[in-house]
Amino acid sequence: MTFARIARTLPLLMLTLFPAAHAMKPTKTAAWTIVTYVQADNDLAPFATYNINDMQLAPLTDNINMLVQWDQPNNKKTWRYRIVKGGRIENASLSAEMGTNPVKELVDMMKWAKTKYDAQKFAVILWNHGSGVLDRRSKRINQLNSTATTHPSQPTLPWLEIPGLSLKDSRGILYDYTQNTYATNQDLTTAFSRIRNEVLKKNVDIVGMDACLMAMIEVGLQIDDYADLLVGSQQVEPGEGWAYSGFLNALCAQPNASPAQLATYIVGAYGAFYKKNGETDFTQSAINLHKLETLKQNIGLMIGAVAACRKADAQATKSMVVAARKASLSFEISDYIDLNTFYTGLKNRAQTLRNNQAKLLRPNAALIKALDALIKIIDSGMSIIDDAVLANVTGSAKATAQGISIYYPLGSVHNSYPRTQFAKTTHWVAFIKEYR
């Protein structure tokens, strides 16, 4: 996969650390506080500097708090900054290194943000490697490209690869190479439930995942009770990650933007940045988390309708479903597919099978009835997806991606997957084992 080179985009700036006397101290509750947990104790470290420089380009004012909690390699400290135009202001940094307990650190970070930089609306961005609902690494990388940690303008590894880690049940996000830790999807549930109940006393408005492969229904359902919107990528992200100055510029022009508007700015800036720089293999979407329960219910109905088709004609049904799965758009981890393309393929094959049956002298009436029900359910599901995805951008290589992925391997099911909320509350695991 080819990644955008930083040399072709924004130049690196000198980070300016403003003294405390120059700090812009909020005198009232801001419109927005955006907090980024930058877990850069890994091969992405140079891109943390790049992204923080990018944040500093925006004309930030007291009405928008852009905060960073930053873990750097070979550094035993946790750095906390407020970003301002042209620089950064250190505030309440910690002497202990972050990465030892990501859940507690996320909660403590939000206590700092709420206490020092209160706002009407909050966005929390998780900056790191991501592996979606699980991690199917096929290889270990024992030695990094020697340029990756010193010259961020050179091509880097995709964010998917996790060099040097040997973690039991390794999956999730926020990988720390020094501590050999990470956050599972269940950890995300714990962290955001505590942030909601102990800190903000309301849902987080936006959870952003500046990481690979996290725009999945399974990931969203881990936090949908504690956050309103999710912004993330179905595909791996290039090393440069999000286009921070792009969406911050838009927010600064309209500081009272709604969460849906800010999520749309984030997605739009991401797409504009990578299209300008010639990338073709990228995705980014904003998802209304409160629509995912309805989508989950629709998937359950789809499974039931497929079972009715199978009862009428087992062989034709299995061929139909497996063909739809194989034709679905997949991502860097091929077990992750775009849910809408699966639904589209399944609907088309169901319609073809139904039409072929109707032409027979002795059609299978039970199969036709079951297929009609299935098509209706799929149509409803595709409408739910369209309603749930507030914004979506793709490069030409993933042009059919519609914003929400789902786990559907053609081989064995990873042993971590049944522990997800989605797997626990649906018959999806049995379905994907049956139709492969």
Side-chain angles (χ1 to χ4, degrees), residues 267-321:
V267 173
Y270 189 93
F273 177 81
Y274 287 112
K275 287 177 182 177
K276 179 181 179 181
N277 289 285
E279 286 294 334
T280 60
D281 196 2
F282 67 86
T283 63
Q284 187 80 269
S285 57
I287 301 167
N288 183 341
L289 290 172
H290 301 303
K291 301 291 184 179
L292 294 188
E293 183 65 30
T294 303
L295 182 56
K296 184 185 79 171
Q297 293 171 6
N298 177 267
I299 291 170
L301 293 174
M302 180 275 295
I303 292 171
V306 168
C309 294
R310 182 178 176 84
K311 186 176 181 180
D313 189 327
Q315 182 176 351
T317 299
K318 183 158 189 173
S319 296
M320 173 184 70
V321 176

Side-chain angles (χ1 to χ4, degrees), residues 100-307:
T100 59
N101 187 335
V103 170
K104 182 178 185 302
E105 291 157 11
L106 284 168
V107 175
D108 289 346
M109 178 185 75
M110 292 308 295
K111 289 178 180 177
W112 163 64
K114 173 68 174 173
T115 301
K116 295 289 187 72
Y117 301 102
D118 199 11
Q120 299 169 14
K121 298 177 282 288
F122 282 85
V124 180
I125 302 170
L126 307 183
W127 186 107
N128 188 247
H129 285 294
S131 55
V133 74
L134 51 87
D135 180 20
R136 297 280 296 190
R137 296 194 306 279
S138 61
K139 62 182 180 180
R140 291 170 58 86
I141 300 177
N142 297 316
Q143 185 175 5
L144 297 177
N145 183 329
S146 61
T147 64
T149 57
T150 57
H151 300 290
S153 61
Q154 298 299 318
T156 188
L157 298 169
W159 288 37
L160 168 66
E161 303 292 358
I162 317 298
L165 289 182
S166 178
L167 301 172
K168 183 179 180 182
D169 187 28
S170 55
R171 59 199 174 84
I173 196 171
L174 302 181
Y175 293 88
D176 184 313
Y177 293 178
T178 300
Q179 307 295 337
N180 205 38
T181 57
Y182 69 105
T184 68
N185 292 281
Q186 284 70 38
D187 287 337
L188 294 180
T189 303
T190 302
F192 282 100
S193 66
R194 290 187 58 191
I195 290 169
R196 191 250 179 264
N197 296 325
E198 299 175 19
V199 184
L200 299 182
K201 308 299 184 182
K202 72 179 190 71
N203 279 10
V204 176
D205 293 282
I206 299 174
V207 173
M209 298 194 180
D210 191 357
C212 293
L213 302 162
M214 301 301 288
M216 304 187 71
I217 184 172
E218 296 95 338
V219 173
L221 285 169
Q222 294 292 144
I223 60 173
D224 67 323
D225 288 334
Y226 315 111
D228 294 336
L229 303 177
L230 171 66
V231 178
S233 175
Q234 294 178 270
Q235 178 60 309
V236 296
E237 289 191 355
E240 292 89 343
W242 284 16
Y244 286 90
S245 64
F247 76 78
L248 287 173
N249 284 337
L251 180 61
C252 288
Q254 191 174 355
N256 292 314
S258 69
Q261 287 173 314
L262 176 54
T264 300
Y265 297 159
I266 295 169
V267 173
Y270 189 93
F273 177 81
Y274 287 112
K275 287 177 182 177
K276 179 181 179 181
N277 289 285
E279 286 294 334
T280 60
D281 196 2
F282 67 86
T283 63
Q284 187 80 269
S285 57
I287 301 167
N288 183 341
L289 290 172
H290 301 303
K291 301 291 184 179
L292 294 188
E293 183 65 30
T294 303
L295 182 56
K296 184 185 79 171
Q297 293 171 6
N298 177 267
I299 291 170
L301 293 174
M302 180 275 295
I303 292 171
V306 168

